[in-house]
Structures are given as C-alpha cells and as structure tokens.
Amino acid sequence: MTSIAFLSSIPSSLPILPLKDNVLLPSIVTKLTVCQSESQLLLRNPSSYIVCVPLQPSNSLKESKSSYLGANVVETTSISTIDLSQLFHYGCVAQVLEYEKITSDQVVLKVKGVCRSRIRDICNMDGGMIYEALLEHHHENDNSQVQKDLQLEYEDLVIFQSLCRTYVSKMRLIGVSLHVTDQLHHIIESNHVSYVANLLLYLIDSSMKDKLHALEILDIKQRLHEIHHVVTRYLQSINTNPIYRENEMMFDHIRRKFYICKEMHSISVDNSNDENVQNSLKPSYKRQFNVSAEDDEEIASLVERLNNANLPEHATECVKRDLNRLRKLPMSSADSAILRTYLEYICDLPWSFTDKRMELQLSSVKSQLDADHFGIEHVKKRILEYLSVLKMKKDAKPPIICFAGPPGVGKTTLGKSIASALHRTFHRISLGGVRDEAEIRGHRRTYVGALPGLLIHGMRQCKVQNPVILLDEIDKLVTNSNQGDPAAALLEVLDPAQNSGFVDHFINIPYDLSQTLFIATANSLDTIPRPLLDRMEVIQLDGYTFNEKLHIAQTHLVPKQIEAHGMSFSGLKISEDVLLHIIEKYTRESGVRNLERLIANVCRYKCREYADLTEFGKEDQFDQKIYIQDLELILDSEPYDCDALDSEETPGIVTGLAYSGSGNGGILMIEANYTPGCGRLKLTGSLGDVIKESAEIAVSWVKANAYALKLTNSRKEDLFRDIDLHIHLPSGAIPKDGPSAGITIVTCLVSLMSGLPVPLTTAMTGEVTLRGQVRPVGGIKEKIISAHRMGIKRIVLPAANRRDVLKNIPVEIQNEMTFVYCKSIWDVVEIIFDQVNTRFEPRYTSSL
C-alpha cells in the first residue's frame, strides 16, 4: 500500500486521547494507560485509530522529562478534566494494537504511532466524555520531495547515521550489553532515518520541549537537524573516561534509564498490513514484569526476556515472587545464581509458541514415509491414522507410541521421519542407564547445582510446545536404584490425562506437555514395568528379510557410503549380486548396521585402490565394479554358510527355533545322547527353569509312549531303565529359557532312541503338554525370518500360529518355505518320521 493510499484509509476525524507530560511520535510503539469507561468509548468506532495529543507544558515544567508509570506505560489524562486550550496544535495518529486490563477500572492500550496530524478543529461526540479532532495528516514519506532532498543532501544523511553509530558506541562504553547494542545497531541500519531519529529521542529521555518541537516540524531535513543537536548535546554530557571513578554512578543511572526507555518504546514501521490489525484486535490478559530503577543490566535484560516469554497467569505469579527475591539478594550469593538460572529457564521455555501448523497432505506424508523406510506398512498406517485425526480435529491429543524390535531395524530413524512428516521439531532423549528420578523430574532448587530434568531441558532446546520427543532405549532404565524409580516418574509424562500439568521439581510450575508427541523405543518389553507399558501403544518392528535388506542397501546404504568415502565422482557401483552375496554369506543380524559396515569396508578398499592409481597417474585403469570373487580378499572368508545341508544328519540332533530378548530370532540345535546308567537325566547349556521343565515333560511323554513308538517290547518295560540321558543345547555361554523347545526335545529323543535322523533343513518350535498337546508360542516372525536366512526349507509350527504366518510373514518367504501345522505331538512324529518305515502304532494306542 502506498503512502497516499494509506493516508486516505485513515479517518480525518478521530477521538482524542490527551497525553500528560509525554509525546507520541510516528513509528513508536508504546503503552498508554486509560480508564475502563474511556477506553470503551475510544474503541467503540469500527476504526482502530485514535489521535494522541500532548498537553502543552506549563512554564514550570517546560524542561521536565517525560513521565512514565511503574508498569512501563505512559500516563494519560481524561479530556473531560482539562481545558481544551491546553492541547498542543499537533498530535500523532495511533493505531491500537491490543489492550490489557490491569485493574477493574484501568486498561493499558498498546499503540503504534502512524503519522503526524495537525488539529484543525475539535468537537464533542454526542455530548459525552470523548472529543473528536478534525485532522490534516502528514505521513513521513508522503512527499516525493523528501526523498529528493535526501538524495541531494546525502552528506546530511551520512552525518546523522554517523551520529547514530556514535551513540551505540557510547552505550557500549558505559556498560550496556553487547546483545542489546547489536539489536539497536540493526534497527538503525535497517529502518528509515526519520523513524530512527524518533526512537533516539526516546532512548536519550529527551525533554518534553524537544519532543514537541520534533512533532510539529514537517520538513524532514529540519527535523533531522534539530534532533542531531539534541542527541549531540546528550552525548557530550557523558564522560566515558574510566579514570574518573565518580562516573560509575552516572553510568549506572544512564544504563537504567536506557533499559527502561528501551522497554517502554520500540520501533515498528510495517504499515502494509495495518488494515488487518483491527480485525485481530482482542484483549490480552498477560501480565507484564516491571523494570525497577534499581535493577542492574542483567536483571533489566532478564525482565525484558520475561515479558517476551508470554507466560501463563499461574506462572507469572510464581515468577514475580522469585524475581523480587532476586532483586534483594547480593550477586555473590549461591541462591542468586540458582534463581538466575531458574529465571533463564523460565524465559527460554516455550509457554505458548508452537510450530506453524502446515496444512497436512496425507499423500505427501505417505510418500515421504515410503521414501525413508521400506516395508513396515503397519507403522505407516498408524501414523497416517493419527494425521487423519489431527486433520479433522486440530487439538487432538497425540498417542504415546513405543517401537519395539531388535537393534538396527530403524526405530530411531523412523521417529525422525515422523517428525519430518509432521513438520515438527525433533529431540532425542537417551534413557539407557538413567537411574535417578531427578533425571526425569529435575532437582529441587534447594540443592547446590540444581538443574531441571531431561524433559524440560529438551523443551527448552526445541523452543516449541509441540515437538516430537524420542525416548530412546526406554527398556534400559535402571529400576532397582536407591535414588528413586525413573520409570515411575515417566508414568505422569506418558499419560495423556496427566501430562498437561507436568511439574518439574526445578521449575516447580505446571508445564503443558499434552501437545508433545512422545515416541519410545525398546529392544525388549520384558524389562519395562507393567504400569509404564500399559500407557504406551506398542508397535512391533521385526527383522528384515534378504529382499528387504537388498532394497535398503541399494536405495540408502550404498549411496550413503559412496558419498561418505568421497567416491561419488568415480562412478563406483556395487551390483545386486554382490550385495545379495554379502547379505547371505556375511550377515546374520535382524537390522542393517553390520551390513552398512561391510559396505563401508568395500568402499574403503576401492578408495585405497583409486588413491594408489592416482599416485602413478593411472586413474583410467580404475575398475568401477565390485566382483563376487573380490569379496573374500576384501572381507576375509565367509563367516556364515546359508546351506544347512552340508552337515551330516545324525540321530539325536534336531534343529529348533529360538527368540532372543533383544528381538532377534535364530536357530537352536538340540543334541541328545545316552550312556549306561540308571535312568538319570542331565541337562546342560545354561538352561532356565522353564526349558528344564520342558525337557522333563518330553522325557515323561517318550517314556509313556515308548511301546506305541516301537521303542520297547512291552508296555511295562522302562525305556530308560539302564541308561542315563544327556540333553545339551550348544552355545553354553548364552542363557536359554522358555517353553518353545518342547516339541523339539521330544523329536530329538525319539530320533535318538529310534536311530532315525531328522533332516537338518527341518526346524520346529512349539510348547508340549504332558498329554502331548502342542501349544502356540511367540516370536514367530523373527524365528521364521532367521530360519530363512539359515537355509531352512520346512518349519513345523503349532496350528494356532497359522494366523501369525499368514499375517506377518512376507509372501516371498511363504513361497520359498514349507509350513506344517500340528495340534498334537503325534502330528509332529508322523510328519518328521515315515510311519510306514518306522511302524509306529496308531496314536490312539498310546498311553498318558
């Protein structure tokens, strides 16, 4: 909007607000106090403009300084109590930005000076308390001659800008903080010289006469000349020679005056959107903190930050009390340091500011999640469901999500992707090894060196109230410490019904965490306390298949490592066959961390090869491809063999399936042998109580059904009367427990006693009861994926686990493997052993 068009939008007749001992100039934003009834009359017109007219000072007050109230607002007076002849013949049109009710009969108006206006006539509105003035407006830039004069008299402009820089330098010399003077320097350099001149008149606390003179001068060159003399006279009155100790009191007085004036008045020249301000005009009930004349530089700066923090009302009362305590304490005391730290945290915390909510496009979010992560469709589905709810209901409470799965499957990176898709700030808190409740809730301020907890510290770093906070490794919290239970402290944080009033011991003020999206990660759910687990929505992340690892390596890992090793220009390529060979022969993990290390080894090898050729000027001989036969030289010999058929099939050795606490699956070989003895059972391999009981049940079932299995000649013959059984599970250093090895141990004993081997490409898992029923077990997906990596072709499972296979196992694995489902141990025996050759009795003839 041009200056002329902007002036035409301002009414020529506006209500008058008299100013007592003060002057409002264009571009200056300040606060004015008026009575409640008068403010309602001033603002009842549809326009948000008023005219602020200063009172002409009496002879005794002509050289007085401008007055202000304790709350950093300019004092006004009711026009009904003054003589109209006292009004100055010029005023400043002001736009009301907001108003704040401070008492039952007093209101503070935040206004911005817009333009100078000459008063041509005054009339009464409806015979009431408010008078209107007929005005002639003069905008700062409405005359094209102004800019022409500025171009012709460029030296005047340079001289005034030099004066401004001298003023900033002088403020630095007397001890004004560098942060504040840098702000002032930026204002001087980036705003119109006329606006800067108006601001300087306030910062030096000039006299009423000087401001009235600046208000009535319409010619900008003459105005700059007059203000130049006022500022120069002020600067000459300040002696910055450090050898005069008596100057310290003067410096302190000037600094306090500067901070008070800076807090009272700011500069604003963005008039392009002024017509929108009246539409957003609404009452503001936030409380302000006052700068006292006794405050030093640090406290004055702290008060300014507190005023900008937009604290809620319940926090303002507490902070006011502590701010008054700080003013009474000497700077050298320990309490003073803690209070300053406390108030700085209060200033830096986001109390109301949140990220600008962008319009959520579910299609773009889905595309980003697909680009960042391969597979995990159930996780993406849950995130899109939450975004759909958020799109329909802006204040919907976010869920508390826990990603559980083995290491390296992308739990942490998935949290980053969710934050990126939501356009929110991401913050990670590592909970591994946290043993003190104060790490979550903070220390009380009575302790020396007290600090807030990890959550409040994270919110301070995020600077928004709605970040995505990742609680990493929540299953590794120390819960048996004598310093409190951090898991119990998290109960309030992770409860949507309670976290809107989270109280940190250091802040000691209820803080709203209800808009924060918490995402926890864990390798195992067994170590998480039940009440804490109940508050989270658990989403399982399983290990990757060969095809998934291949896709991740091609799209992410290989480009990342080539760029990290500076080989992007060389055209280095790792083919699909090479990657698949590395995956099958060199990795056995559920995630992709070790795969990334192996790819990095390949890149380093080729980087060394290229560097050697470069030294001899033979870069053209560099081979950009990697061959399978080169991998043994680069990565040493293959540690794993995917073909389980190479081992010899032996009676008494059966392949089982296992699930580790870290979320990984694996195969578990079970071996059995017998020696002469008296029927004793020996179990080895770091076995737990549950797996020992499974072995005893297996021995009882085989002994009871030995005749039906054609292992004895009569029903009363004891199969293990003259022998001792020894059952061993290899990798004895690794503890093993759980009921899922039941049918495997039964099959192992039948194989041993019958002399019939079990194919090593057949694996099994399931719990067996004393009556021979097969019960379902957990960890099916991890076990099957691990078996597929090991080259297993056939898997025997409980019939109740059929739904797990159909729902969770990738289609390509289902097509490459054979799944056999059983309801009783007799189903297992008939599947594993050929009943025609072994001549087992029908199952109904068995006992027990």
Side-chain angles (χ1 to χ4, degrees), residues 261 419 558 759 837:
C261 293
V558 171
N837 295 330

Side-chain angles (χ1 to χ4, degrees), residues 425-537:
T425 306
F426 176 79
H427 182 73
R428 174 180 170 271
I429 297 177
S430 179
L431 297 179
V434 172
R435 63 177 64 248
D436 192 351
E437 178 195 3
E439 294 286 338
I440 306 299
R441 289 189 176 276
H443 302 82
R444 300 189 185 275
R445 297 204 303 271
T446 53
Y447 295 101
V448 177
L451 285 174
L454 294 172
L455 290 165
I456 294 297
H457 182 71
M459 296 299 293
R460 182 193 189 190
Q461 289 183 324
C462 291
K463 293 183 172 57
V464 289
Q465 265 198 316
N466 61 342
V468 175
I469 293 185
L470 183 77
L471 303 176
D472 211 5
E473 309 292 354
I474 197 172
D475 58 323
K476 297 175 179 58
L477 282 170
V478 179
T479 57
N480 56 354
S481 171
N482 58 0
Q483 296 172 311
D485 189 355
L490 282 174
L491 293 177
E492 179 186 3
V493 177
L494 300 182
D495 191 341
Q498 301 181 33
N499 60 11
S500 59
F502 172 71
V503 178
D504 184 276
H505 289 160
F506 183 82
I507 301 298
N508 203 28
I509 298 174
Y511 188 80
D512 187 6
L513 295 175
S514 61
Q515 294 302 314
T516 302
L517 176 57
F518 289 101
I519 299 177
T521 67
N523 295 131
S524 173
L525 301 178
D526 298 334
T527 58
I528 302 178
R530 295 300 102 183
L532 183 59
L533 186 62
D534 181 63
R535 282 165 167 77
M536 299 185 293
E537 179 182 345

Side-chain angles (χ1 to χ4, degrees), residues 229 326 451 501 581:
H229 281 302
L326 178 63
L451 285 174
H581 188 83

